[in-house]
């Protein structure tokens, strides 16, 4: 069973990804996310990066729907989302989470490292924040905490470490808890969940 700390973080991420605020994660939410990333990354079609975003989104959706096929009900409400992330990050049913975190970091760098210097600047990380619709007021504290060596940029190792922290650590002081803003203070005031289980 998930701890309260992981439940809080995973719920926070669910609310970020639920683009239409209906209480379900659906294909259209991930299509909207991809569109948002392309817009804030200033991609003009045709674009290899936009094609990459679309392919990665489809891969993720396929994995999620395969997992949901064994759940009741077979839709991605918050309960099933928590089960899915528990299966990935805690039970590691798709492989060691450290390796998954490295792949996620590689993907984020491929999309957001605009100058291809193998570091994310604060501005590049801000683009990541904005494309996920995380409030910009969190960028200063989050970036500073994730920048473990204080060199004013994020390396792939620092980002991968943050991803592992966010998805696996129950230590509330870990920097990676702030990967998607602060789950303790972030208020989704405009995000009303209208879906309820029958």
């Amino acid at each position: 069973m998930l701890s309260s700390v992981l439940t809080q973080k995973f719920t926070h991420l669910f609310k970020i990804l639920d683009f239409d605020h209906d209480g379900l994660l659906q294909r259209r939410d991930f299509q909207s996310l991809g569109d948002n990333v392309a817009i804030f990354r200033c991609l003009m079609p045709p674009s290899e990066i936009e094609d990459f975003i679309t392919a990665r989104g489809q891969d993720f959706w396929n994995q999620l729907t395969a997992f949901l096929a064994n759940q009741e009900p077979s839709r991605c409400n918050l309960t099933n989302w928590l089960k899915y992330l528990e299966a990935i990050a805690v039970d590691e049913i798709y492989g060691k989470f450290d390796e998954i975190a490295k792949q996620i970091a590689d993907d984020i760098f491929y999309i957001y490292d605009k100058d291809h210097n193998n570091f994310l600047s604060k501005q590049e990380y801000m683009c990541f924040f904005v494309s996920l619709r995380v409030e910009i007021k969190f960028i200063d504290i989050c970036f500073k905490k994730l920048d473990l060596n204080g060199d004013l940029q994020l390396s792939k190792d620092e980002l991968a470490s943050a991803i592992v922290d966010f998805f696996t650590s129950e230590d509330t002081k870990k920097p990676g808890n702030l990967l998607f803003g602060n789950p303790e203070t972030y208020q989704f005031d405009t995000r009303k969940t209208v879906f309820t289980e029958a």
Side-chain angles (χ1 to χ4, degrees):
M1 184 167 175
L2 282 177
S3 69
S4 61
V5 173
L6 291 180
T7 298
Q8 180 185 47
K9 290 190 286 186
F10 294 173
T11 300
H12 173 70
L13 183 56
F14 180 91
K15 290 178 179 178
I16 288 173
L17 297 177
D18 181 15
F19 259 55
D20 60 9
H21 322 304
D22 68 352
L24 293 172
L25 293 186
Q26 300 169 82
R27 181 190 296 269
R28 66 177 178 249
D29 291 310
F30 296 102
Q31 290 170 336
S32 297
L33 172 61
D35 292 344
N36 226 39
V37 171
I39 290 167
F40 286 101
R41 180 58 179 77
C42 300
L43 300 175
M44 298 297 293
S47 163
E48 288 183 15
I49 295 177
E50 190 167 10
D51 291 344
F52 175 83
I53 293 166
T54 300
R56 276 292 191 256
Q58 187 60 51
D59 291 344
F60 178 78
W61 180 250
N62 290 343
Q63 185 184 83
L64 178 58
T65 52
F67 178 85
L68 293 173
N70 299 316
Q71 304 301 315
E72 183 59 41
S74 60
R75 57 185 164 236
C76 198
N77 56 16
L78 177 58
T79 299
N80 285 340
W81 173 250
L82 295 176
K83 290 178 186 177
Y84 173 68
L85 289 189
E86 182 177 22
I88 291 175
V90 179
D91 300 335
E92 298 185 322
I93 67 169
Y94 298 113
K96 292 291 185 187
F97 190 75
D98 286 356
E99 294 303 314
I100 294 172
K102 288 178 186 176
Q103 184 60 62
I104 295 170
D106 284 344
D107 290 352
I108 291 172
F109 264 74
Y110 181 70
I111 296 167
Y112 293 100
D113 181 17
K114 198 169 185 178
D115 59 8
H116 309 293
N117 70 345
N118 290 315
F119 291 95
L120 290 182
S121 67
K122 184 176 174 183
Q123 185 175 6
E124 288 166 336
Y125 192 69
M126 188 183 307
C127 184
F128 170 71
F129 249 47
V130 172
S131 63
L132 293 179
R133 303 175 313 168
V134 177
E135 289 181 336
I136 205 68
K137 68 182 181 180
F138 293 111
I139 189 66
D140 286 335
I141 184 65
C142 293
F143 189 84
K144 185 176 180 181
K145 291 282 188 181
L146 298 182
D147 178 17
L148 299 177
N149 64 1
D151 66 353
L152 304 180
Q153 55 190 358
L154 298 183
S155 68
K156 281 187 186 178
D157 287 343
E158 286 172 326
L159 185 59
S161 175
I163 292 166
V164 170
D165 284 352
F166 182 88
F167 285 97
T168 67
S169 179
E170 297 181 18
D171 182 350
T172 58
K173 293 183 170 52
K174 288 281 190 177
N177 293 333
L178 301 176
L179 182 64
F180 303 104
N182 189 340
E184 294 181 358
T185 61
Y186 194 139
Q187 298 298 313
F188 294 87
D189 294 332
T190 63
R191 300 175 186 218
K192 304 300 181 189
T193 299
V194 297
F195 177 81
T196 55
E197 294 290 355

